[in-house]
PDB file of all heavy atoms in Angstrom:
ATOM      1  N   MET B  31     -36.833   1.067 -39.086  1.00 98.00           N
ATOM      2  CA  MET B  31     -36.659   2.108 -40.092  1.00 98.00           C
ATOM      3  C   MET B  31     -35.958   3.340 -39.528  1.00 98.00           C
ATOM      4  O   MET B  31     -35.095   3.927 -40.164  1.00 98.00           O
ATOM      5  CB  MET B  31     -38.013   2.505 -40.683  1.00 98.00           C
ATOM      6  CG  MET B  31     -38.649   1.422 -41.518  1.00 98.00           C
ATOM      7  SD  MET B  31     -37.587   0.827 -42.837  1.00 98.00           S
ATOM      8  CE  MET B  31     -38.084   1.906 -44.187  1.00 98.00           C
ATOM      9  N   TYR B  46     -39.521   7.592 -46.806  1.00 97.00           N
ATOM     10  CA  TYR B  46     -40.830   7.414 -47.427  1.00 97.00           C
ATOM     11  C   TYR B  46     -41.089   8.423 -48.540  1.00 97.00           C
ATOM     12  O   TYR B  46     -42.063   8.312 -49.263  1.00 97.00           O
ATOM     13  CB  TYR B  46     -41.923   7.453 -46.353  1.00 97.00           C
ATOM     14  CG  TYR B  46     -41.850   6.235 -45.464  1.00 97.00           C
ATOM     15  CD1 TYR B  46     -41.033   6.210 -44.337  1.00 97.00           C
ATOM     16  CD2 TYR B  46     -42.543   5.084 -45.801  1.00 97.00           C
ATOM     17  CE1 TYR B  46     -40.940   5.086 -43.545  1.00 97.00           C
ATOM     18  CE2 TYR B  46     -42.454   3.951 -45.015  1.00 97.00           C
ATOM     19  CZ  TYR B  46     -41.657   3.961 -43.886  1.00 97.00           C
ATOM     20  OH  TYR B  46     -41.549   2.840 -43.115  1.00 97.00           O
ATOM     21  N   LYS B  52     -41.274  -0.204 -46.470  1.00 98.00           N
ATOM     22  CA  LYS B  52     -40.082  -0.900 -46.004  1.00 98.00           C
ATOM     23  C   LYS B  52     -39.612  -1.948 -47.017  1.00 98.00           C
ATOM     24  O   LYS B  52     -38.428  -2.041 -47.330  1.00 98.00           O
ATOM     25  CB  LYS B  52     -40.394  -1.566 -44.657  1.00 98.00           C
ATOM     26  CG  LYS B  52     -39.169  -2.070 -43.927  1.00 98.00           C
ATOM     27  CD  LYS B  52     -39.565  -2.758 -42.620  1.00 98.00           C
ATOM     28  CE  LYS B  52     -38.338  -3.143 -41.800  1.00 98.00           C
ATOM     29  NZ  LYS B  52     -38.689  -3.824 -40.543  1.00 98.00           N
TER      30      LYS B  52
ATOM     31  P    DA C  18     -40.133  -0.602 -38.226  1.00 64.19           P
ATOM     32  OP1  DA C  18     -39.545  -1.929 -38.391  1.00 64.19           O
ATOM     33  OP2  DA C  18     -39.292   0.600 -38.146  1.00 64.19           O
ATOM     34  O5'  DA C  18     -41.200  -0.386 -39.391  1.00 64.19           O
ATOM     35  C5'  DA C  18     -42.229  -1.332 -39.557  1.00 64.19           C
ATOM     36  C4'  DA C  18     -43.461  -0.677 -40.156  1.00 64.19           C
ATOM     37  O4'  DA C  18     -44.095   0.168 -39.164  1.00 64.19           O
ATOM     38  C3'  DA C  18     -43.205   0.204 -41.369  1.00 64.19           C
ATOM     39  O3'  DA C  18     -44.285  -0.010 -42.281  1.00 64.19           O
ATOM     40  C2'  DA C  18     -43.203   1.625 -40.785  1.00 64.19           C
ATOM     41  C1'  DA C  18     -44.193   1.502 -39.640  1.00 64.19           C
ATOM     42  N9   DA C  18     -43.941   2.348 -38.462  1.00 64.19           N
ATOM     43  C8   DA C  18     -42.787   2.410 -37.721  1.00 64.19           C
ATOM     44  N7   DA C  18     -42.860   3.223 -36.684  1.00 64.19           N
ATOM     45  C5   DA C  18     -44.147   3.727 -36.750  1.00 64.19           C
ATOM     46  C6   DA C  18     -44.838   4.635 -35.933  1.00 64.19           C
ATOM     47  N6   DA C  18     -44.326   5.209 -34.857  1.00 64.19           N
ATOM     48  N1   DA C  18     -46.107   4.932 -36.279  1.00 64.19           N
ATOM     49  C2   DA C  18     -46.638   4.343 -37.357  1.00 64.19           C
ATOM     50  N3   DA C  18     -46.086   3.466 -38.195  1.00 64.19           N
ATOM     51  C4   DA C  18     -44.825   3.194 -37.838  1.00 64.19           C
ATOM     52  P    DT C  19     -44.218   0.556 -43.739  1.00 64.19           P
ATOM     53  OP1  DT C  19     -45.038  -0.337 -44.574  1.00 64.19           O
ATOM     54  OP2  DT C  19     -42.815   0.845 -44.111  1.00 64.19           O
ATOM     55  O5'  DT C  19     -44.995   1.926 -43.593  1.00 64.19           O
ATOM     56  C5'  DT C  19     -46.317   1.871 -43.054  1.00 64.19           C
ATOM     57  C4'  DT C  19     -46.822   3.274 -42.792  1.00 64.19           C
ATOM     58  O4'  DT C  19     -46.254   3.818 -41.582  1.00 64.19           O
ATOM     59  C3'  DT C  19     -46.529   4.301 -43.895  1.00 64.19           C
ATOM     60  O3'  DT C  19     -47.793   4.794 -44.336  1.00 64.19           O
ATOM     61  C2'  DT C  19     -45.688   5.375 -43.206  1.00 64.19           C
ATOM     62  C1'  DT C  19     -46.102   5.209 -41.755  1.00 64.19           C
ATOM     63  N1   DT C  19     -45.144   5.646 -40.701  1.00 64.19           N
ATOM     64  C2   DT C  19     -45.611   6.511 -39.729  1.00 64.19           C
ATOM     65  O2   DT C  19     -46.749   6.947 -39.709  1.00 64.19           O
ATOM     66  N3   DT C  19     -44.691   6.853 -38.777  1.00 64.19           N
ATOM     67  C4   DT C  19     -43.375   6.417 -38.699  1.00 64.19           C
ATOM     68  O4   DT C  19     -42.650   6.788 -37.777  1.00 64.19           O
ATOM     69  C5   DT C  19     -42.946   5.512 -39.743  1.00 64.19           C
ATOM     70  C7   DT C  19     -41.550   4.984 -39.742  1.00 64.19           C
ATOM     71  C6   DT C  19     -43.846   5.184 -40.678  1.00 64.19           C
ATOM     72  P    DT C  20     -47.920   5.980 -45.373  1.00 64.19           P
ATOM     73  OP1  DT C  20     -49.105   5.674 -46.193  1.00 64.19           O
ATOM     74  OP2  DT C  20     -46.609   6.242 -45.969  1.00 64.19           O
ATOM     75  O5'  DT C  20     -48.312   7.191 -44.421  1.00 64.19           O
ATOM     76  C5'  DT C  20     -49.373   7.000 -43.514  1.00 64.19           C
ATOM     77  C4'  DT C  20     -49.657   8.288 -42.763  1.00 64.19           C
ATOM     78  O4'  DT C  20     -48.564   8.589 -41.855  1.00 64.19           O
ATOM     79  C3'  DT C  20     -49.808   9.523 -43.654  1.00 64.19           C
ATOM     80  O3'  DT C  20     -50.866  10.269 -43.065  1.00 64.19           O
ATOM     81  C2'  DT C  20     -48.446  10.221 -43.520  1.00 64.19           C
ATOM     82  C1'  DT C  20     -48.099   9.908 -42.084  1.00 64.19           C
ATOM     83  N1   DT C  20     -46.653   9.864 -41.687  1.00 64.19           N
ATOM     84  C2   DT C  20     -46.301  10.483 -40.510  1.00 64.19           C
ATOM     85  O2   DT C  20     -47.088  11.080 -39.809  1.00 64.19           O
ATOM     86  N3   DT C  20     -44.979  10.366 -40.182  1.00 64.19           N
ATOM     87  C4   DT C  20     -44.003   9.703 -40.898  1.00 64.19           C
ATOM     88  O4   DT C  20     -42.844   9.664 -40.486  1.00 64.19           O
ATOM     89  C5   DT C  20     -44.437   9.084 -42.114  1.00 64.19           C
ATOM     90  C7   DT C  20     -43.441   8.342 -42.958  1.00 64.19           C
ATOM     91  C6   DT C  20     -45.733   9.186 -42.454  1.00 64.19           C
ATOM     92  P    DG C  26     -32.296  26.747 -42.589  1.00 64.19           P
ATOM     93  OP1  DG C  26     -31.069  25.977 -42.282  1.00 64.19           O
ATOM     94  OP2  DG C  26     -32.422  28.188 -42.238  1.00 64.19           O
ATOM     95  O5'  DG C  26     -32.596  26.609 -44.126  1.00 64.19           O
ATOM     96  C5'  DG C  26     -31.489  26.596 -44.981  1.00 64.19           C
ATOM     97  C4'  DG C  26     -31.931  25.947 -46.274  1.00 64.19           C
ATOM     98  O4'  DG C  26     -33.361  25.986 -46.366  1.00 64.19           O
ATOM     99  C3'  DG C  26     -31.380  26.742 -47.456  1.00 64.19           C
ATOM    100  O3'  DG C  26     -30.899  25.821 -48.398  1.00 64.19           O
ATOM    101  C2'  DG C  26     -32.578  27.548 -47.929  1.00 64.19           C
ATOM    102  C1'  DG C  26     -33.737  26.619 -47.568  1.00 64.19           C
ATOM    103  N9   DG C  26     -35.006  27.293 -47.288  1.00 64.19           N
ATOM    104  C8   DG C  26     -35.318  28.069 -46.191  1.00 64.19           C
ATOM    105  N7   DG C  26     -36.554  28.517 -46.212  1.00 64.19           N
ATOM    106  C5   DG C  26     -37.083  28.012 -47.400  1.00 64.19           C
ATOM    107  C6   DG C  26     -38.390  28.177 -47.958  1.00 64.19           C
ATOM    108  O6   DG C  26     -39.353  28.800 -47.514  1.00 64.19           O
ATOM    109  N1   DG C  26     -38.505  27.496 -49.166  1.00 64.19           N
ATOM    110  C2   DG C  26     -37.498  26.767 -49.755  1.00 64.19           C
ATOM    111  N2   DG C  26     -37.805  26.188 -50.911  1.00 64.19           N
ATOM    112  N3   DG C  26     -36.280  26.596 -49.247  1.00 64.19           N
ATOM    113  C4   DG C  26     -36.144  27.257 -48.064  1.00 64.19           C
TER     114       DG C  26
END
Side-chain angles (χ1 to χ4, degrees):
Chain B
M31 292 305 268
Y46 291 87
K52 192 182 186 181

